[in-house]
Amino acid sequence: MGEASRDEYKIQSFDAATQQLLKTALKDPGAVDLEKVANVIVDHSLRDCVFSKEAGRMCYAIIQAESKQAGQSVFRRGLLNRLQQEYEAREQLRACSLQSWVCYVTFICNIFDYLRLAQPESLSREEEVDCLVLQLHRVGEQLEKMNGQRMDELFILIRDGFLLPIDLSSLARLLLLEIIEFRAAGWKTTSAAHKYYYSEVSD
């Protein structure tokens, strides 16, 4: 089954109004409320684990379309903010529905795969490095338990980004080093490390 038909099949699982919203977001993102689109995709992902495995590709397509059309990242910011809100309410989510929690973690893994936040072009932008490190602090340990191999692949990209001579700012390099050491220490940080890194960031 080709890419287009697979996307069409996913969209057909929504009601007619939502189908039209998503089709428009994929073709003309500037014509719709992209924060609403992000919420619709996350809401459906929490209810449908099959969709949650594929939704990252749809999100990536919308992000690419928005960037090409307007050079903006409204959808991306809205998506990451919503996922952060869900993580902050994770205990309630788990208590209400273990399936929703599994769907959420699956969706997060899929998003990290498709958004490719550790690619060189992303690591050269401080805003994206900060986003990557923040999300790894919040869900990195859970993601590694779900798929250790993919986490290894992600950290190879992070390590290469830190070591290779790409255009990294001092802050971006510091953040990458901090998350590398954070994972190496079992997703924990010592008080001395916290004092060192965060005093450097505040400076």
Side-chain angles (χ1 to χ4, degrees):
M1 187 177 293
E3 290 293 306
S5 58
R6 286 177 66 192
D7 284 336
E8 186 69 16
Y9 173 78
K10 289 184 301 184
I11 290 174
Q12 293 300 331
S13 67
F14 293 88
D15 61 69
T18 305
Q19 286 180 40
Q20 188 56 49
L21 176 71
L22 294 175
K23 286 179 182 179
T24 304
L26 287 161
K27 294 177 182 177
D28 184 14
V32 295
D33 181 342
L34 290 174
E35 290 193 11
K36 179 180 179 180
V37 173
N39 284 323
V40 164
I41 292 174
V42 173
D43 286 340
H44 199 70
S45 294
L46 294 180
R47 295 193 300 269
D48 185 342
C49 280
V50 174
F51 179 77
S52 72
K53 295 176 182 177
E54 297 290 336
R57 187 157 52 90
M58 182 184 293
C59 291
Y60 180 69
I62 295 171
I63 289 167
Q64 292 293 98
E66 184 189 11
S67 178
K68 183 177 180 180
Q69 183 184 73
Q72 296 182 340
S73 55
V74 174
F75 175 78
R76 183 174 184 150
R77 284 196 303 272
L79 177 66
L80 293 174
N81 285 340
R82 172 64 192 279
L83 291 174
Q84 182 174 328
Q85 290 170 12
E86 292 296 335
Y87 181 73
E88 289 171 352
R90 63 192 179 282
E91 296 304 329
Q92 182 180 353
L93 180 64
R94 265 195 193 129
C96 290
S97 171
L98 183 59
Q99 179 180 336
S100 293
W101 169 248
V102 171
C103 288
Y104 170 76
V105 175
T106 301
F107 184 54
I108 284 280
C109 290
N110 199 250
I111 288 296
F112 268 95
D113 185 18
Y114 277 97
L115 297 197
R116 302 181 185 279
L117 291 174
Q119 295 296 328
E121 64 271 19
S122 293
L123 294 181
S124 66
R125 294 190 284 266
E126 252 179 36
E127 181 183 17
E128 295 202 40
V129 173
D130 186 56
C131 173
L132 171 63
V133 170
L134 175 63
Q135 299 306 319
L136 284 173
H137 268 285
R138 292 181 179 277
V139 298
E141 185 173 10
Q142 287 89 347
L143 293 180
E144 183 155 42
K145 289 176 181 176
M146 294 287 291
N147 195 330
Q149 180 180 347
R150 293 309 297 246
M151 188 60 71
D152 287 341
E153 293 170 2
L154 176 64
F155 269 81
I156 286 171
L157 292 174
I158 291 174
R159 180 204 63 199
D160 288 348
F162 176 76
L163 294 175
L164 295 177
I166 61 175
D167 186 22
L168 280 181
S169 69
S170 297
L171 176 58
R173 200 173 293 276
L174 183 72
L175 289 170
L176 292 179
L177 178 60
E178 190 272 337
I179 198 63
I180 289 169
E181 293 191 353
F182 184 68
R183 185 201 183 204
W187 302 101
K188 296 179 176 62
T189 188
T190 65
S191 57
H194 186 275
K195 181 178 180 181
Y196 171 74
Y197 284 110
Y198 290 94
S199 65
E200 290 289 328
V201 169
S202 63
D203 291 343

